[in-house]
Amino acid sequence: MGAVGLLYVGAVLFINGMMLLKKIDPRAAAIFNLFVGALQVITPTVLIILNPGDPAQVLGASGIYLFGFTYLYVGINLLGGFDSTGVGYFSLFVAIMALGYSYANFRLLGDPAFGVIWLYWGFLWFLFFVLLGLKHEQITRYTGWVTAIQGWVTAAIPAFMILTGYWRNTNLIAFILAVFGVVVFIGLWPLTRGREPTAAAPADAMGAGDRTHRPRWT
């Protein structure tokens, strides 16, 4: 069940990345954020109810709420046109917790591949904090690309591999992911700096006009 939810996390991250790159209207993206957010709250609740005596299952399920609440928060923010600061600082909380879940996957759950994936997520949610909480709009394009790429690399592809039985040799997968992340995300930085989308700023796309030129998303 967790792999099914992870598949749609990949979809929502890809959509949100495209939204930051001005390819998708924010209000249209909001609806899908609500769908996936609801799924990511229902899924861990069911997993915990069905496995109350399994600490590993409960630990794994508990981290899913971090994303479910993020997407619900984002969807409501986009539809309501609210300021993004709250989402940004919640993203900082998620980024910090991701370090703990990474450690748990490396040392407690025996899945180094997801240990690396949690580091990916910690980095991404820290970018959301810088963009939305601290309002550094100059990283909008970079964050958009990182979000879209992570949708595939950390969620959609791993979920499909798990569902089809190909999630094996997690040490090798962890190594490949680590090298890919370092090379791609460092390489993206000079390619995206100074090349922000020329369309309306995220706040304008939300219908905020001249009231504030601040991103209202994640």
Side-chain angles (χ1 to χ4, degrees), residues 20-72:
L20 282 174
L21 294 171
K22 307 296 180 265
K23 305 297 184 183
I24 297 176
D25 178 76
R27 291 185 181 273
I31 303 300
F32 197 67
N33 274 270
L34 294 177
F35 288 159
V36 177
L39 177 65
Q40 292 299 88
V41 170
I42 294 170
T43 296
T45 301
V46 172
L47 290 173
I48 291 172
I49 291 173
L50 294 178
N51 303 278
D54 188 337
Q57 282 281 357
V58 173
L59 175 62
S62 66
I64 301 174
Y65 286 111
L66 295 171
F67 305 112
F69 292 141
T70 297
Y71 304 132
L72 289 174

Side-chain angles (χ1 to χ4, degrees):
M1 179 177 289
V4 174
L6 185 63
L7 185 67
Y8 291 96
V9 166
V12 77
L13 286 177
F14 177 69
I15 285 173
N16 287 346
M18 292 297 99
M19 179 180 65
L20 282 174
L21 294 171
K22 307 296 180 265
K23 305 297 184 183
I24 297 176
D25 178 76
R27 291 185 181 273
I31 303 300
F32 197 67
N33 274 270
L34 294 177
F35 288 159
V36 177
L39 177 65
Q40 292 299 88
V41 170
I42 294 170
T43 296
T45 301
V46 172
L47 290 173
I48 291 172
I49 291 173
L50 294 178
N51 303 278
D54 188 337
Q57 282 281 357
V58 173
L59 175 62
S62 66
I64 301 174
Y65 286 111
L66 295 171
F67 305 112
F69 292 141
T70 297
Y71 304 132
L72 289 174
Y73 205 164
V74 168
I76 294 169
N77 251 38
L78 289 171
L79 291 176
F82 303 124
D83 179 74
S84 67
T85 306
V87 177
Y89 276 86
F90 178 67
S91 296
L92 176 61
F93 174 83
V94 175
I96 294 170
M97 290 303 304
L99 299 178
Y101 280 99
S102 175
Y103 173 84
N105 275 272
F106 278 118
R107 299 302 300 270
L108 303 178
L109 301 179
D111 193 339
F114 268 93
V116 174
I117 285 174
W118 273 100
L119 293 177
Y120 268 72
W121 288 335
F123 173 60
L124 179 58
W125 261 252
F126 183 75
L127 290 178
F128 294 156
F129 163 64
V130 174
L131 175 64
L132 303 171
L134 301 182
K135 313 298 186 184
H136 290 302
E137 296 180 41
Q138 64 269 29
I139 70 165
T140 300
R141 188 175 181 84
Y142 179 75
T143 304
W145 278 111
V146 173
T147 304
I149 292 170
Q150 286 208 21
W152 292 99
V153 175
T154 70
I157 294 173
F160 193 75
M161 290 177 68
I162 293 170
L163 290 169
T164 55
Y166 287 100
W167 191 253
R168 308 166 188 165
N169 197 346
T170 55
N171 287 313
L172 176 60
I173 294 173
F175 176 77
I176 293 171
L177 285 170
V179 172
F180 178 88
V182 171
V183 171
V184 172
F185 298 144
I186 290 177
L188 271 175
W189 182 252
L191 296 176
T192 56
R193 291 283 293 176
R195 298 184 59 190
E196 297 306 318
T198 57
D204 294 335
M206 288 293 298
D210 292 330
R211 290 183 290 127
T212 173
H213 291 284
R214 295 177 176 179
R216 294 183 178 273
W217 173 72
T218 202

